[in-house]
Amino acid sequence: MSKLGYAVKRAMKMDWKKMRQTADMLHEKTGKSRAWLMQDMLRCALRYNAGYMDYKIAAMYNLNDAQRRTVITRGISNNIVRRMNDKAYWHYFDDKTTFNTLFAPYIGRKWIKVDDSLTADALAEFLSDLPAVLFKPLEGSSGVGIVKYNKADWEKDIPAFLNTLRGQGAGLLEELLVQHPEMSRLCPTSVNTVRIATLLGDKREGVVYAFLRIGNGKVMDNVDQGGMAARVDLATGKLLTVAADKAGNVYDKHPITGTPIVGFTIPYFKEAMDMCLQAMHKVPQVRFVAWDVAITADGPRFIEGNSFPSHAVPQFAAHYPDGIGILPEFRKFIDI
């Protein structure tokens, strides 16, 4: 396809309304003209395969061309997934019951599938010694559809609770993990998970990056649910950067608990890394996986693995004060 043909095809796929809204927001934030921002967003879309969200989150309006070439934009991330991950094997990660079965040694909690075959008696037995549970849709991402239930929600009427669960569609009911006290010191309302990305690359294999996802008052720590993230030093397990959220807010300490973020040390981080490095060979047809790991008092536990990792967290501008993004880390593993 010619450069002109590619430009026309790319332009037809753009969400011009969202681009204009982004330009309006960034105009208020930066003082740059709306016309310049729209033109620059278009340029980044054509040259770097960046969407309007990439442009905003990575603060590409502040970067020069050399810096922009180091940002993992949506287009680049999608290309990595297409190259590395055979779609025929995604179900090992996308179906939560399949994932929990395959990676059972690393799960460390009770779970039961919620579908039409689940009986009230089986549910009652599962819940008998649990004070709280999480319901998760069988497939899904970004924390959508996840609900926490406490004992008061089921103890008086198990059949009614079963109907409530079935009303949410096929899913998974899990024992609520109790996180390490040190992780609760950051934010006690959510299980704050470490996202560790592994890559079975053509040049080398191992961990590409790690970020700690931290809740901000909700049950979920996901950045799409208002959470924040900070970059983790792979050698020490310490947080290297301030935390940032998807709206562009930056935190040097947690807004609820006041716990300092930079320098915070994640317990059992080496063990979490080792767990991911072992697990990445289970399904070698899926070579790029972002693992969400909870840290308990007894060590790391898998929450889930992502066969199509979000590229949002690894490109927040606050994590790269020199403007050099995460792509150089990927290039140690594969050619991009």
Side-chain angles (χ1 to χ4, degrees):
M1 182 183 293
S2 68
K3 289 185 177 179
L4 178 60
Y6 169 77
V8 171
K9 185 177 180 180
R10 188 79 175 85
M12 290 176 65
K13 292 184 177 180
M14 291 178 186
D15 190 330
W16 294 97
K17 180 179 179 180
K18 290 290 181 63
M19 287 180 67
R20 286 192 294 271
Q21 291 174 345
T22 301
D24 289 341
M25 185 273 291
L26 293 177
H27 166 71
E28 296 298 326
K29 180 178 180 178
T30 69
K32 298 179 184 290
S33 77
R34 292 178 175 85
W36 183 89
L37 288 163
M38 283 292 291
Q39 179 188 34
D40 198 47
M41 261 190 284
L42 180 59
R43 180 170 178 268
C44 286
L46 297 176
R47 178 168 293 190
Y48 308 110
N49 227 334
Y52 65 89
M53 188 61 72
D54 300 325
Y55 187 82
K56 179 179 74 170
I57 289 176
M60 296 182 78
Y61 47 85
N62 284 333
L63 304 180
N64 59 38
D65 284 340
Q67 292 168 323
R68 288 172 171 181
R69 284 193 290 270
T70 69
V71 174
I72 183 167
T73 62
R74 178 184 61 187
I76 293 172
S77 177
N78 290 356
N79 182 55
I80 292 172
V81 171
R82 282 194 296 268
R83 286 171 53 194
M84 296 291 106
N85 296 348
D86 185 336
K87 196 169 185 178
Y89 294 84
W90 287 13
H91 68 279
Y92 286 108
F93 299 88
D94 297 347
D95 184 303
K96 291 179 172 59
T97 59
T98 302
F99 179 86
N100 279 11
T101 301
L102 181 62
F103 296 98
Y106 312 112
I107 299 301
R109 62 192 178 277
K110 292 170 55 177
W111 61 274
I112 192 169
K113 186 175 182 180
V114 177
D115 59 13
D116 290 340
S117 68
L118 179 62
T119 66
D121 287 343
L123 179 60
E125 182 179 355
F126 173 77
L127 294 170
S128 61
D129 60 347
L130 299 180
V133 292
L134 279 184
F135 173 86
K136 299 178 179 179
L138 208 55
E139 296 185 7
S141 61
S142 302
V144 176
I146 294 179
V147 182
K148 178 183 178 182
Y149 292 103
N150 296 306
K151 191 171 184 177
D153 294 313
W154 68 73
E155 61 180 347
K156 293 182 179 179
D157 194 338
I158 291 287
F161 183 58
L162 177 57
N163 287 335
T164 297
L165 296 175
R166 284 177 175 164
Q168 298 178 79
L172 197 70
L173 205 60
E174 291 187 341
E175 175 183 4
L176 199 65
L177 276 179
V178 178
Q179 67 182 341
H180 194 288
E182 188 67 1
M183 305 302 285
S184 287
R185 191 167 68 87
L186 265 180
C187 179
T189 64
S190 61
V191 174
N192 307 299
T193 57
V194 192
R195 171 156 290 195
I196 300 175
T198 57
L199 185 57
L200 291 166
D202 304 316
K203 299 178 181 178
R204 58 188 278 195
E205 63 180 51
V207 174
V208 187
Y209 63 75
F211 286 82
L212 179 62
R213 306 190 307 173
I214 310 165
N216 196 5
K218 295 184 179 180
V219 173
M220 298 300 300
D221 63 352
N222 197 289
V223 296
D224 289 317
Q225 302 292 326
M228 62 192 80
R231 195 171 182 185
V232 183
D233 177 41
L234 299 183
T236 65
K238 291 184 181 293
L239 299 189
L240 291 170
T241 66
V242 295
D245 63 21
K246 210 167 182 179
N249 300 307
V250 174
Y251 308 89
D252 59 355
K253 60 183 180 180
H254 196 279
I256 296 174
T257 64
T259 303
I261 290 172
V262 178
F264 178 90
T265 300
I266 299 170
Y268 292 115
F269 181 71
K270 182 182 183 303
E271 290 82 354
M273 288 255 292
D274 290 344
M275 185 174 74
C276 295
L277 291 171
Q278 293 171 18
M280 73 178 181
H281 293 283
K282 280 272 192 180
V283 188
Q285 297 85 356
V286 181
R287 299 164 63 189
F288 175 41
V289 178
W291 309 90
D292 291 336
V293 181
I295 307 297
T296 75
D298 298 318
R301 301 286 185 267
F302 276 148
I303 298 297
E304 64 182 11
N306 300 275
S307 61
F308 203 117
S310 166
H311 66 290
V313 169
Q315 64 163 326
F316 286 166
H319 299 148
Y320 309 97
D322 60 358
I324 303 300
I326 198 74
L327 266 187
E329 298 305 312
F330 277 87
R331 290 185 175 121
K332 296 175 183 177
F333 293 79
I334 58 176
D335 290 322
I336 303 176

